[in-house]
Amino acid sequence: MAGVRIVFKGFGLYYSGIPEAGVSAIRRLKRNAMKSPSIHTRARAAALLVAVLAATVSVIPAQRRKAPNHTEASGHIEIQGPQFVVNGRPLQIISGEMHYPRIPREYWRDRMRKARAMGLNTISTYVFWNLHEPRPGVFDFTGQNDVAAFVRTAQEEGLNVLLRPGPYVCAEWDLGGLPAWLLADPEMVLRSADAKFMDPVEKYLKRLGEELVPLLATRGGPIIGVQVENEYGSFGKDAQYMEKVRAAIAAAGFGEVPLFTADGPEQLPFGTLAQLPAAVNFGPGGAESAFAALGRFRPEGLRMNQEYWAGWFDSWGKAHHTTNADREARELDWMLGQGFSLNLYMFHGGTTFGFMNGANWDRGYAPQTSSYDYNSALDESGAPTAKFTAFREVIAKHRLGEQFPALPQEIPRIEIPEFALDESTSLQAGLGEPIRSQSPEPMENLGQMFGYIVYRTEVSGPEEGVLALQELRDYAQVYVDGKLIGTLDRRMGQDHLQLKLPGGAHNLEILVENSGRINFGARIRDERKGITKAVTFGGRELKGWEIYGAPMNELRTIHFSNRPFSGPGFYRGHFQLNRVGDTFLDMSKYGKGAVWVNGHALGRFWSIGPQQTLYLPGAWLKRGRNEVIVFEMNGSSTPSKLSGLAHPILDRLAAPQAAAAR
């Protein structure tokens, strides 16, 4: 029994280093002993504990001891009163949120081992519908999208799973995880009981069930609970819709484990269902009042915080967020001391790779950065932060007798010396054949979900007036005869500029970036991208457009050269590595665009900040030659250079005048 320790102090009895199989018996003895104020009674209890330990250690080989609080094969899961109950034993969930698409698949296990090392017994994840059904009826659960593999890995690492399949998830993710192709039908009402919406929802959930129902705890898997929708009380009050989603989730097979809802304290009356337990979401400083509100709303029932916002996300052009680790640790201590279950949102934020970032409406359009660092316990690259240590100390205080695993070996970080992007080509060279339309069309109407779109028409002069882009979504560069004459930014409420044309015919071209769909609030129902209404000049609508899609999902067809060009374009370079490791590409000298390395889409850059680097996982690098492709909206004919840093830059905003110039 080396490492076992039993002490009594004041009216408390404490133990550590105790095998899992003896914990239940020990806790019963402890509760009985504490009913008596007698120090002699507590001493006798300590002696009994030693006897229990002797029996426990003799029958349980170390290699077969289960991870603390983990489910057993084919378990029985229910919610009784304030807690989950697994095979007759109460389970206080101590969970951390992390999302499989925001972590390279090669690093899933590393992050989960770090979750165990911090003392977590559960992880929570959303499921992102738009990843798994990129086109109607076409499903993808392979590679990075293999959510079942993510869940199985959690089980292998001794973690329970709380599953959040949506269909809407928010998550600072494009359209809150809803597929953008839903927007191609202007009559469909998202997040409603509308049959046009619910039919694809039901098909998606049924298909998801094929992947994940075999991994429910009732079938020997780690999934102990499934959330129905997500914070619906912050969106609407349609109980019929919520019931339809619940029924679809149950019909897909997930009803074998407890279903529950999650809302803010004020929104609980609107987003819940009477037959389902309700969890509550809140940020630092709100724990006592939020649980009090939950108690008033449901005097009896589950006491779980499904999202404790231990950090916050960043938006382009706004300051990087940091939050107070000490305050969060104190509140974590309070919640655990009350016996409440909780989920840290986020334990590890990671990166919103590619074009999947969402946007908020915060007195205006506010697209989010590619970094989802979130100021969480693990930083963007998975390295433990000061919060990790603070939270681990608190959790250890409440999980006496349980030994947390050691942190896994640190993933190395490297620097990449500066290298040239010495090949290039213009965006125009790869646009392909246009679609012709009398009026501009949004991306979704043309079957395009992400990236960029070019609108081209002919205008005649001489004429002077206001060029207006009605319902611009989201950022536009306007060219006349190949010359950039201005930019328009939805963030700034910009949708028009003054234009003066000399006599003759002129080519008008508008390049529009989809900067990310709004993921929260009623505006998600109208988040089509591109120019979604009309373009007028001098009050007259311009007709006869050629529309070119640039979804950026197939770069292998781009033909690079070293011929000069002007305007938006692609730049390619190569670098050599003797060893691989995580690094951060320094994009601070660039304007606005996106980056790919060895075929992996890293995300967006924008000189306005606060993010100035892009996380490049070592798992996506290789010894020898590596390829980088940069799309730069503010391109020029001069090849640029890049380097990789050992640390990120996430907190550098551009000077106001420089940002305005962009």
Side-chain angles (χ1 to χ4, degrees):
M1 293 192 297
V4 172
R5 188 166 70 96
I6 306 171
V7 298
F8 51 89
K9 185 169 83 172
F11 289 100
L13 182 64
Y14 301 92
Y15 47 87
S16 62
I18 296 173
E20 172 66 13
V23 168
S24 296
I26 290 163
R27 285 175 176 164
R28 285 195 298 271
L29 287 169
K30 177 180 175 180
R31 283 195 298 269
N32 292 335
M34 292 306 102
K35 291 178 181 178
S36 171
S38 167
I39 192 168
H40 301 293
T41 301
R42 296 199 302 277
R44 286 195 298 272
L48 283 171
L49 289 179
V50 172
V52 170
L53 282 170
T56 299
V57 173
S58 67
V59 299
I60 306 215
Q63 64 270 24
R64 297 189 60 193
R65 293 174 196 160
K66 290 177 178 277
N69 286 334
H70 191 259
T71 57
E72 297 177 358
S74 301
H76 177 71
I77 317 297
E78 60 183 338
I79 295 174
Q80 292 182 1
Q83 286 187 319
F84 278 70
V85 176
V86 180
N87 294 327
R89 293 184 300 176
L91 169 64
Q92 183 178 23
I93 294 170
I94 310 176
S95 175
E97 186 93 8
M98 52 183 173
H99 302 146
Y100 55 100
R102 284 177 159 139
I103 308 165
R105 179 171 179 159
E106 298 87 344
Y107 290 164
W108 287 348
R109 193 175 301 275
D110 171 82
R111 307 311 194 246
M112 292 175 185
R113 288 179 176 175
K114 288 169 179 172
R116 286 287 315 284
M118 201 178 83
L120 303 183
N121 58 26
T122 305
I123 61 168
S124 173
T125 185
Y126 286 123
V127 183
F128 300 86
W129 180 10
N130 56 8
L131 281 184
H132 297 296
E133 194 177 3
R135 299 189 302 280
V138 177
F139 290 94
D140 180 5
F141 289 95
T142 63
Q144 189 70 48
N145 292 345
D146 193 346
V147 62
F150 182 79
V151 172
R152 285 193 297 270
T153 304
Q155 183 172 30
E156 291 165 6
E157 294 303 323
L159 291 160
N160 304 308
V161 174
L162 293 173
L163 192 72
R164 312 172 77 189
Y168 164 84
V169 299
C170 188
E172 289 69 62
W173 192 269
D174 189 88
L175 204 63
L178 301 177
W181 47 260
L182 296 170
L183 296 169
D185 183 349
E187 296 181 357
M188 182 183 293
V189 183
L190 305 186
R191 296 185 83 187
S192 81
D194 175 14
K196 285 190 171 185
F197 178 65
M198 286 305 304
D199 181 60
V201 166
E202 290 165 359
K203 291 176 180 175
Y204 152 66
L205 289 170
K206 181 180 179 181
R207 179 64 184 84
L208 182 64
E210 295 174 14
E211 297 289 321
L212 295 180
V213 166
L215 294 170
L216 297 178
T218 50
R219 303 191 183 197
I223 300 173
I224 59 173
V226 177
Q227 182 179 307
V228 174
E229 238 268 359
N230 187 58
E231 296 184 322
Y232 187 73
S234 298
F235 181 85
K237 304 178 182 180
D238 188 347
Q240 181 188 12
Y241 165 66
M242 284 294 292
E243 172 54 28
K244 283 183 176 291
V245 174
R246 184 211 62 78
I249 288 174
F254 292 106
E256 293 181 16
V257 297
L259 307 182
F260 63 94
T261 60
D263 289 278
E266 291 80 19
Q267 292 77 32
L268 286 166
F270 314 123
T272 52
L273 289 169
Q275 71 270 41
L276 294 185
V280 66
N281 298 345
F282 51 85
E288 294 192 41
S289 60
F291 275 109
L294 179 60
R296 290 190 297 272
F297 180 68
R298 293 276 175 85
E300 303 294 331
L302 181 64
R303 294 295 179 262
M304 183 168 78
N305 163 220
Q306 178 55 29
E307 289 188 15
Y308 180 70
W309 303 318
W312 203 246
F313 58 88
D314 289 342
S315 299
W316 291 112
K318 299 186 178 183
H320 173 60
H321 285 93
T322 58
T323 59
N324 189 308
D326 291 338
R327 181 185 188 186
E328 291 164 8
R330 289 193 299 271
E331 203 154 41
L332 176 62
D333 185 30
W334 180 84
M335 287 188 281
L336 293 177
Q338 300 299 311
F340 299 150
S341 291
L342 60 90
N343 177 48
L344 298 169
Y345 192 100
M346 300 288 297
F347 165 67
H348 173 46
T351 307
T352 310
F353 295 109
F355 296 114
M356 284 295 184
N357 66 282
N360 263 10
W361 188 267
D362 182 15
R363 297 183 297 276
Y365 176 70
Q368 289 126 14
T369 61
S370 290
S371 171
Y372 203 60
D373 176 87
Y374 217 85
N375 191 226
S376 53
L378 299 184
D379 71 11
E380 184 178 10
S381 66
T385 67
K387 285 187 180 181
F388 182 96
T389 303
F391 294 170
R392 187 186 189 281
E393 290 176 354
V394 169
I395 295 169
K397 173 182 171 183
H398 293 273
R399 292 185 65 177
L400 289 168
E402 298 176 5
Q403 298 296 318
F404 301 162
L407 279 166
Q409 185 176 357
E410 183 178 352
I411 296 172
R413 290 189 180 185
I414 63 170
E415 295 183 351
I416 300 174
E418 191 173 68
F419 61 94
L421 302 180
D422 49 10
E423 299 175 278
S424 61
T425 189
S426 70
L427 174 64
Q428 298 287 351
L431 285 180
E433 292 297 315
I435 294 170
R436 290 175 172 83
S437 173
Q438 281 299 100
S439 300
E441 296 279 354
M443 282 184 179
E444 296 79 5
N445 289 12
L446 308 177
Q448 180 180 336
M449 304 304 129
F450 302 99
Y452 306 80
I453 191 166
V454 176
Y455 300 90
R456 185 182 293 166
T457 193
E458 189 175 275
V459 291
S460 299
E463 188 169 355
E464 182 175 0
V466 172
L467 180 72
L469 280 57
Q470 295 178 3
E471 299 297 340
L472 168 65
R473 310 285 177 80
D474 301 297
Y475 181 91
Q477 293 181 172
V478 182
Y479 298 84
V480 173
D481 299 330
K483 180 181 179 181
L484 179 65
I485 62 168
T487 62
L488 299 172
D489 187 348
R490 184 184 180 191
R491 295 179 315 118
M492 313 299 291
Q494 299 168 346
D495 62 2
H496 64 275
L497 51 78
Q498 192 72 23
L499 177 61
K500 182 177 182 180
L501 295 177
H506 302 276
N507 180 54
L508 172 66
E509 190 170 276
I510 305 169
L511 168 62
V512 179
E513 178 197 54
N514 166 1
S515 302
R517 292 179 181 85
I518 289 173
N519 57 262
F520 184 81
R523 293 177 184 269
I524 68 168
R525 288 177 170 169
D526 183 28
E527 263 299 275
R528 297 164 184 86
K529 293 300 184 179
I531 299 173
T532 62
K533 289 195 175 177
V535 177
T536 62
F537 180 37
R540 174 177 58 87
E541 183 176 351
L542 299 181
K543 298 283 190 178
W545 293 87
E546 294 180 340
I547 307 173
Y548 300 82
M552 304 296 183
N553 54 12
E554 183 51 83
L555 303 185
R556 289 175 294 181
T557 60
I558 299 174
H559 299 288
F560 289 92
S561 71
N562 54 11
R563 293 191 298 271
F565 68 91
S566 61
F570 298 91
Y571 296 83
R572 182 168 69 178
H574 299 86
F575 60 91
Q576 297 284 332
L577 288 179
N578 295 322
R579 70 183 186 102
V580 299
D582 289 353
T583 191
F584 302 86
L585 292 185
D586 182 0
M587 306 306 301
S588 59
K589 296 178 182 178
Y590 287 75
K592 183 172 177 58
V595 177
W596 296 259
V597 174
N598 295 333
H600 295 278
L602 300 192
R604 306 178 192 267
F605 61 87
W606 197 356
S607 59
I608 64 173
Q611 178 181 353
Q612 300 290 350
T613 53
L614 280 171
Y615 172 52
L616 173 51
W620 293 352
L621 293 171
K622 55 190 176 183
R623 289 186 177 89
R625 195 169 189 252
N626 293 266
E627 177 193 67
V628 179
I629 295 176
V630 175
F631 175 67
E632 169 64 270
M633 291 188 74
N634 303 322
S636 69
S637 59
T638 304
S640 298
K641 295 184 178 182
L642 265 183
S643 63
L645 308 179
H647 300 281
I649 303 172
L650 300 177
D651 57 357
R652 185 188 298 169
L653 287 169
Q657 61 270 24
R662 298 287 186 186

